């Protein structure tokens, strides 16, 4: 590095290398993180970002390479070493004991003596001070399990600060947050930077990188491919670096004539197995030639709504009409019956209900349509016909590797999703319901999947997309419904929707209140 | 009044004596499970404790070496469990059952080989046993009606280990709730990755939990052989380890409630003994087994969710593996 003067960087990695068996997760990584910066690390899923940070935090050990902290070579064998060096991490899945109070969680590992009482008084005072300084107010005596996710994340940050974090690593911190909560988080991060602390932000969301970082490093397939000052780069350039080629610019949806109503729900109410009402009095109408997006923070009833509309779960009240006919209440309301009428479904949790993980891709490619005569020979399934069918799907939908005999679990998330989408679209369903179309899918795959959904719309079919990614909803939808706590908070057209308004509705604020 | 006391005092005294091994073992299970290690091997560890205590006391003619031997034997077995469950990440229930089976066979075999008395150890003389302690002033207070007798034969007149077990209840509660060790131990049983990322060793905490459990099981076994009884007999723990497990669950993994549950189970046992041979008009001999089955029934009813929820430590039974 050609900068001899000035203070040494807070963190410097040289030639960090890590393998997990055959997977080369980190390939001779170099990284310089300057003190008092917010440094972003972007990359697709599986690019090796989290592994690199876990090495820095001592959760994993690098196979080779050196770590320098403030210019001195550091040996980080476990989290204790990292903490001693002032390196703290907020994990994607919180490291909080849910049945402990906030105070107990903050003290864990930094109790300040064999008895808790003295340390507790100090921690309490320190929490109050940190809360006031950074806007991280949390009741120290609240149980963590009673706190909303945003507050739990604040506890994680407080925990790190209480231990004297000089370098704070955040791994995909906004995945579980509403846009407002994310804005609050960014305010906190900026305040930390202004105090001279260093923040490392791992994310795959370019919007966040552009909004908050000073400098950004891009990883692709285990390698560090570029470092940029945020001010001198663009989302397009970063996206290109992440996937190694240029991204298609998001185009406005081409206009389509209003088709007939193909799916309609009135006053729908759905309970989960525990008897909790997860969908409350929901109405929706879906026409041919449109994509209806359902936005919401995960777990606000979208999953149960999808299950009811696809016939997997019986609603407790309401009516569902499919292509003009009432299917619920009525006899034979089930998933198989609706499929026969022309409903396709890409489930939210593809590993659990979308494919046969331990079986071949060819088997997954006929799942739900196993009785189709195309691959039945005298009451038995024909392996040859199944393989030929899967090979055709893989060709048409660019599933890689195109190996029908390969176990479904061995494909990447994006390729699994393309296989499932191919299976459903191939039958040209009148109505296609898609849950989290691109969860865990990398950017290349996202584009391909979005194009497929838009093509289905262009063919005059109806598509319903449930997604927790607002950008995705905005990119795909003609109309948008927002769900919060089982209710549909309101409807927006794509033209009038913006992320702020959507975020407020996702948090349960109705459009009138928001105005 | 005196007649009521004549019946009540012996039953209550027996309740305390019968509850003591349950309480020691249930607290043992508490420390182990709060650290995240399920311990169905309480029974086996108590059994080797009982044998080691009786054998050592019989040879040395003194009870204290017996207790030490009991603790050592129990810890040895406990460390086998810990190594299998923590270091090798094996199944905790399978390991616990293996310990029970080993203990049952090993003690009987060793007793036969060493003492040749059909799997027993020699009956222990008074010096090699825990004897009831007379509290100071019991004689002076003997003439005070009611209270004098309660003081002499219920509060006093118990062996040292009874007092120790009772004392361990507040001590355990304090350690778990108010100390650094307790906080970390509980966290290891709830969310071990949180402990790990806080820079604390999960394995060491879990070993510590199992070690404490082993010490307590050893004492419980010594109590059965040298305080309650006077020597070792084959399989003499007779399911107390499992009852203690039930008491721990029924007590919601909390020391205070575990004490109450153990006293309840002790009382049921004492009543059952008292009613042994009693004849009920119209029914015949009193069905003592019905009372003895109650602890198990209560536990099943609780686990089925009829009496509020029993919430175990969230990570108990699960080996800690860094995810990948």
């Amino acid at each position: 590095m050609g900068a001899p003067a000035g203070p040494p960087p807070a963190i410097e990695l040289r030639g960090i290398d890590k393998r997990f068996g055959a997977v080369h997760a980190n390939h001779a990584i170099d990284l310089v993180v300057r003190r008092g910066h917010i440094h972003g690390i972007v990359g697709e899923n599986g690019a090796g970002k989290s592994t690199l940070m876990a090495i820095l935090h001592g959760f994993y050990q690098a196979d080779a390479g050196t770590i320098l902290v403030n210019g001195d070579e550091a040996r980080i064998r476990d989290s204790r070493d990292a903490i001693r060096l002032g390196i703290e991490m907020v994990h994607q899945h919180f490291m909080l004991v849910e049945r402990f109070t906030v105070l107990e969680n903050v003290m864990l590992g930094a109790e300040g003596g064999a008895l808790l009482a003295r340390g507790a008084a100090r921690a309490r005072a320190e929490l109050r001070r940190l809360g006031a300084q950074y806007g991280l107010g949390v009741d120290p005596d609240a149980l963590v399990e009673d706190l909303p996710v945003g507050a739990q994340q604040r506890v994680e940050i407080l925990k790190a600060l209480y231990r004297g974090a000089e370098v704070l690593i955040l791994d995909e911190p906004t995945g579980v947050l509403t846009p407002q909560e994310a804005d609050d988080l960014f305010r906190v991060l900026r305040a930390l930077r202004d105090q001279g602390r260093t923040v490392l932000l791992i994310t795959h969301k370019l919007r966040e990188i552009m909004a908050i970082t000073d400098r950004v490093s891009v990883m692709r397939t285990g390698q560090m491919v570029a470092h940029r000052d945020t001010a001198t780069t663009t989302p397009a350039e970063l996206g290109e670096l992440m996937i190694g080629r240029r991204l298609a610019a998001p185009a406005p949806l081409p206009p389509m004539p209003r088709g007939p109503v193909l799916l309609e729900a009135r006053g729908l109410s759905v309970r989960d197995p525990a008897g909790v009402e997860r969908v409350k009095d929901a109405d929706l109408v879906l026409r041919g030639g449109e994509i209806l997006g359902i936005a919401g923070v995960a777990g606000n009833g979208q999953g149960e709504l999808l299950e009811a509309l696809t016939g997997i779960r019986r609603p407790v009240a309401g009516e569902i009409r499919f292509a003009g006919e009432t299917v619920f209440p009525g006899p034979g309301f089930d998933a198989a019956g609706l499929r026969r009428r022309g409903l396709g479904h890409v489930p939210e949790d593809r590993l659990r209900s979308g494919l046969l993980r331990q079986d071949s891709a060819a088997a997954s490619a006929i799942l739900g349509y196993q009785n189709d005569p195309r691959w039945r020979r005298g009451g038995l399934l024909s392996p040859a016909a199944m393989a030929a069918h899967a090979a055709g799907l893989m060709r048409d939908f660019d599933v890689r590797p195109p190996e029908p005999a390969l176990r479904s679990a061995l494909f990447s998330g994006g390729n699994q999703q393309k296989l499932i989408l191919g299976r459903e679209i191939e039958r040209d369903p009148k109505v296609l319901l898609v849950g989290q179309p691109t969860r865990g899918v990398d950017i290349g795959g996202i584009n391909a999947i979005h194009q497929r959904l838009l093509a289905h719309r262009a063919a005059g079919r109806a598509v319903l997309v449930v997604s927790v990614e607002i950008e995705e909803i905005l990119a795909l939808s003609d109309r948008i419904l927002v769900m919060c706590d089982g209710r549909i908070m309101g409807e927006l057209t794509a033209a009038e929707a913006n992320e702020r308004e959507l975020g407020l509705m996702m948090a349960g604020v109705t459009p009138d209140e928001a105005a | 009044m005196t007649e009521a006391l004549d019946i009540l005092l012996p039953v209550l005294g027996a309740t305390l004596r019968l509850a003591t091994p349950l309480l020691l073992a249930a607290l043992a299970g508490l420390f182990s499970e709060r650290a995240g290690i399920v311990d169905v091997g309480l029974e086996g560890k108590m059994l080797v404790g009982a044998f080691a205590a009786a054998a050592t006391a019989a040879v040395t003619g003194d009870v204290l070496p017996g207790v030490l031997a009991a603790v050592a034997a129990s810890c040895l077995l406990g460390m086998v469990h810990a190594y299998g469950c923590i270091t090798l990440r094996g199944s905790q229930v399978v390991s616990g059952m293996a310990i029970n089976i080993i203990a049952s066979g090993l003690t009987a075999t060793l007793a036969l080989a060493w003492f040749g008395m059909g799997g027993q150890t020699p009956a222990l003389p008074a010096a090699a046993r825990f004897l009831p302690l007379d509290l100071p002033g019991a004689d002076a207070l003997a003439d005070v009606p009611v209270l004098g007798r309660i003081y002499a034969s219920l509060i006093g007149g118990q062996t040292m280990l009874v007092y120790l077990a009772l004392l361990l209840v507040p001590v355990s509660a304090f350690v778990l709730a108010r100390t650094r060790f307790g906080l970390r131990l509980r966290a290891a049983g709830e969310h071990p990755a949180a402990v790990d990322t806080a820079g604390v060793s999960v394995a060491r905490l879990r070993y510590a939990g199992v070690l404490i459990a082993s010490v307590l099981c050893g004492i419980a076994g010594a109590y059965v052989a040298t305080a309650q009884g006077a020597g070792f007999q084959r399989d003499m723990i007779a399911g107390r380890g499992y009852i203690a497990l039930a008491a721990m669950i029924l007590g919601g993994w909390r020391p205070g409630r575990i004490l109450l549950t153990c006293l309840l189970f002790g009382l049921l046992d004492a009543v059952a003994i008292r009613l042994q041979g009693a004849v009920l008009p119209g029914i015949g001999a009193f069905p003592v087994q019905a009372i003895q089955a109650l602890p198990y029934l209560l536990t099943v009813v609780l686990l089925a969710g009829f009496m509020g929820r029993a919430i175990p430590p969230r990570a108990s039974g699960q080996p800690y593996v860094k995810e990948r």
Side-chain angles (χ1 to χ4, degrees):
Chain A
M1 315 289 141
I11 300 285
E12 183 172 353
L13 304 181
R14 290 184 188 158
I16 294 290
D17 216 272
K18 178 75 182 172
R19 286 173 188 274
F20 294 102
V23 181
H24 204 164
N26 284 161
H27 198 109
I29 301 285
D30 293 326
L31 176 67
V32 174
V33 181
R34 278 177 231 153
R35 170 160 306 282
H37 266 200
I38 298 181
H39 193 120
I41 297 184
V42 282
E44 298 184 279
N45 296 300
K49 304 169 300 222
S50 296
T51 303
L52 187 66
M53 291 303 110
I55 289 171
L56 184 53
H57 189 247
F59 200 68
Y60 297 134
Q61 293 260 313
D63 300 333
T66 35
I67 301 175
L68 283 80
V69 178
N70 296 323
D72 298 326
E73 188 168 333
R75 239 177 97 63
I76 302 180
R77 286 155 306 185
D78 53 23
S79 299
R80 190 208 308 249
D81 287 341
I83 291 166
R84 205 163 32 224
L85 291 163
I87 302 170
E88 288 279 351
M89 182 152 175
V90 173
H91 293 260
Q92 194 173 0
H93 306 285
F94 299 150
M95 293 297 171
L96 296 174
V97 182
E98 298 207 326
R99 261 191 262 162
F100 279 15
T101 63
V102 169
L103 191 68
E104 286 176 315
N105 269 292
V106 167
M107 290 177 69
L108 182 65
E111 296 85 350
L115 297 184
L116 295 179
R118 217 182 42 228
R122 214 192 62 206
R124 209 176 272 279
E126 185 67 7
L127 277 185
R128 204 173 302 125
R129 193 184 69 75
L130 289 169
Q133 184 175 355
Y134 296 110
L136 286 167
V138 186
D139 173 11
D141 297 312
L143 286 178
V144 165
E145 63 188 353
D146 294 338
L147 295 176
V149 207
Q152 292 190 5
Q153 190 174 60
R154 290 203 289 278
V155 177
E156 280 276 56
I157 295 173
L158 282 168
K159 201 168 110 178
L161 296 179
Y162 180 69
R163 282 150 219 250
E166 284 302 317
V167 177
L168 185 63
I169 307 167
L170 296 109
D171 188 0
E172 301 282 1
T174 59
V176 291
L177 302 183
T178 64
Q180 274 72 30
E181 286 174 322
D183 286 343
D184 288 341
L185 173 69
F186 291 166
R187 242 194 311 282
V188 171
L189 298 185
R190 284 194 195 97
L192 287 170
R193 173 187 58 192
D194 296 344
Q195 294 280 320
R197 302 191 204 234
T198 309
V199 176
L200 262 163
L201 179 70
I202 307 176
T203 181
H204 64 264
K205 297 181 184 166
L206 296 176
R207 193 179 68 93
E208 296 176 358
I209 291 290
M210 299 311 293
I212 185 158
T213 63
D214 302 301
R215 198 168 159 77
V216 52
S217 300
V218 185
M219 290 186 75
R220 189 200 317 149
T221 58
Q223 294 180 318
M224 195 59 91
V225 293
H227 306 280
R228 295 281 185 276
D229 283 324
T230 310
T232 64
T233 188
T234 62
E237 186 195 16
L238 291 176
E240 188 186 326
L241 287 166
M242 276 166 69
I243 63 171
R245 63 190 144 84
R246 195 165 290 276
L247 281 175
L253 301 183
M256 281 288 295
R258 282 163 62 90
V261 173
L262 291 178
L263 183 67
E264 187 177 1
R266 293 278 164 233
L268 207 59
S269 167
V270 185
R271 291 180 194 276
D272 67 11
V276 180
E277 192 175 19
R278 305 307 295 265
V279 177
K280 299 166 184 168
D281 192 23
D283 296 337
L284 64 84
V285 173
L286 182 59
R287 295 174 175 277
E290 73 167 356
I291 297 183
L292 176 64
I294 297 193
V297 177
N300 274 282
Q302 306 97 308
E304 287 78 5
L305 177 66
L306 261 188
E307 287 182 342
L309 293 177
T310 51
I312 294 171
R313 189 181 298 284
R314 286 186 81 79
V316 291
E319 183 186 4
I320 300 175
R321 292 170 65 81
F322 186 90
E325 288 176 57
T326 300
V327 291
F328 180 86
F333 174 75
D334 60 27
L338 285 173
R339 283 191 169 207
R340 275 195 297 275
R341 288 171 185 262
L343 177 133
H345 177 210
V346 177
E348 283 193 301
D349 187 346
R350 64 173 158 269
L351 288 179
R352 265 188 52 219
S353 37
L355 40 72
L356 301 163
R357 261 185 295 180
Q358 299 303 329
D359 215 328
S360 67
S364 288
I366 64 162
L367 184 62
Y369 307 107
Q370 58 274 16
N371 292 327
D372 191 310
R374 280 189 288 165
W375 34 81
R376 293 193 83 96
R377 302 283 182 273
L380 296 176
L381 289 171
S382 153
M386 283 167 61
H389 170 68
L393 273 189
M394 291 173 141
R395 192 175 52 243
D396 293 348
F397 286 81
D398 188 28
V399 179
R400 280 175 283 183
E403 302 280 350
L406 196 63
R407 252 196 306 145
S408 306
L410 297 178
F411 290 83
S412 74
N415 284 304
Q416 290 173 345
Q417 191 74 328
K418 282 192 273 185
L419 183 68
I420 298 170
L421 196 65
R423 176 183 76 206
E424 301 298 326
I425 287 184
E426 186 249 355
R427 314 186 74 87
D428 193 22
K430 291 194 195 89
V431 175
L432 179 63
L433 308 183
V434 188
Q436 315 300 346
T438 57
R439 175 185 282 169
V441 173
D442 55 34
I443 290 199
I446 291 177
N447 268 344
I449 288 167
H450 285 183
Q451 292 312 320
R452 286 293 176 175
L453 296 177
L454 291 171
H456 203 59
R457 165 185 181 270
R461 311 299 180 210
V463 180
L464 182 134
V465 169
V466 171
S467 176
V468 293
E469 297 290 343
I470 294 189
E471 288 169 48
E472 177 165 73
I473 292 282
L474 287 172
L476 286 177
S477 312
D478 294 283
R479 292 182 295 125
I480 299 165
L481 298 178
V482 182
M483 280 190 88
C484 179
D485 191 26
R487 288 185 196 287
I488 290 177
M489 301 303 296
E491 178 179 326
L492 302 165
T493 65
E496 70 195 22
N498 62 48
E499 294 201 7
R500 187 190 129 71
E501 195 176 356
L502 276 178
L504 284 170
M505 286 167 74
M506 280 163 67
V509 184
T510 61
D512 311 334
E513 287 168 338
Chain B
M1 191 68 205
T2 355
E3 276 172 37
L5 275 185
D6 283 343
I7 297 173
L8 209 57
L9 276 182
V11 169
L12 291 182
T15 298
L16 269 185
R17 287 187 288 278
L18 292 164
T20 296
L22 299 181
L23 184 56
L24 287 165
L27 290 175
L30 172 74
F31 274 98
S32 184
E33 295 219 352
R34 274 302 185 96
I37 302 293
V38 167
D39 198 352
V40 293
L42 297 175
E43 177 93 2
K45 283 186 284 190
M46 288 169 79
L47 192 62
V48 295
F51 173 71
T56 310
V59 173
T60 61
D62 194 357
V63 71
L64 277 181
V67 177
L68 294 179
V71 168
S74 172
C75 285
L76 203 66
L77 216 49
M79 285 303 102
V80 172
H81 183 57
Y83 183 70
C85 298
I86 302 166
T87 308
L88 300 182
R89 305 186 188 118
S91 160
Q92 304 176 3
V93 173
V94 170
S95 168
M97 287 312 295
I99 278 174
N100 290 342
I101 294 164
I102 290 173
S104 171
L106 194 67
T107 51
T109 309
L110 288 182
L112 202 61
W114 290 349
F115 299 100
M117 299 169 60
Q120 297 188 10
T121 61
L124 297 173
R129 297 180 54 207
F130 282 103
L131 297 177
L133 301 177
D134 285 325
L135 289 189
D139 289 337
L141 288 170
D143 294 336
V144 180
V146 185
L147 286 181
R149 285 184 64 189
I150 291 177
Y151 183 72
S153 69
L154 183 60
I155 299 177
Q158 308 289 352
T159 57
M160 199 168 76
L161 294 183
V162 175
Y163 302 113
L164 176 72
L166 291 173
L167 186 67
L168 279 174
V169 174
V171 169
S172 302
F174 181 84
V175 167
L176 284 176
R178 304 282 178 86
T179 69
R180 173 175 62 195
F181 172 72
L183 183 75
R184 292 178 173 184
L185 190 84
R186 284 185 285 136
E190 289 282 338
H191 191 348
V195 176
D196 194 1
T197 53
V200 180
S201 163
V202 175
R204 273 166 63 175
L205 283 168
R206 290 189 159 181
Y207 267 99
V210 175
L211 195 65
I212 293 173
S214 304
V215 170
L216 294 178
C217 277
I219 298 174
Y223 177 87
V224 174
T226 62
Q228 219 168 8
F232 175 82
Q233 288 163 13
R234 192 180 173 154
D235 288 330
M236 76 183 301
I237 300 303
R240 285 187 187 84
Y242 296 108
I243 296 258
L245 216 50
M248 176 193 71
I249 294 168
L250 213 53
W253 289 266
R254 293 210 291 272
R257 281 178 51 185
I258 286 176
L259 170 66
L260 294 180
T261 322
C262 287
L263 287 175
L264 172 68
F265 288 179
L267 178 68
L268 290 174
D269 215 1
V271 169
I273 291 170
R274 174 86 194 176
L275 291 178
Q276 202 117 46
V279 176
L280 291 186
I283 299 178
F286 187 84
V288 177
Q289 293 84 349
I291 295 181
Q292 284 167 336
L294 270 180
Y296 295 107
L297 285 177
L298 282 175
T299 308
V300 169
V301 166
L302 177 87
L303 287 179
F306 292 117
M307 287 166 53
R309 279 188 310 155
I311 310 166
R314 198 157 293 171
S316 76
Q318 297 165 11
Y320 175 57
V321 188
K322 290 188 182 190
E323 84 264 55
R324 163 63 202 170

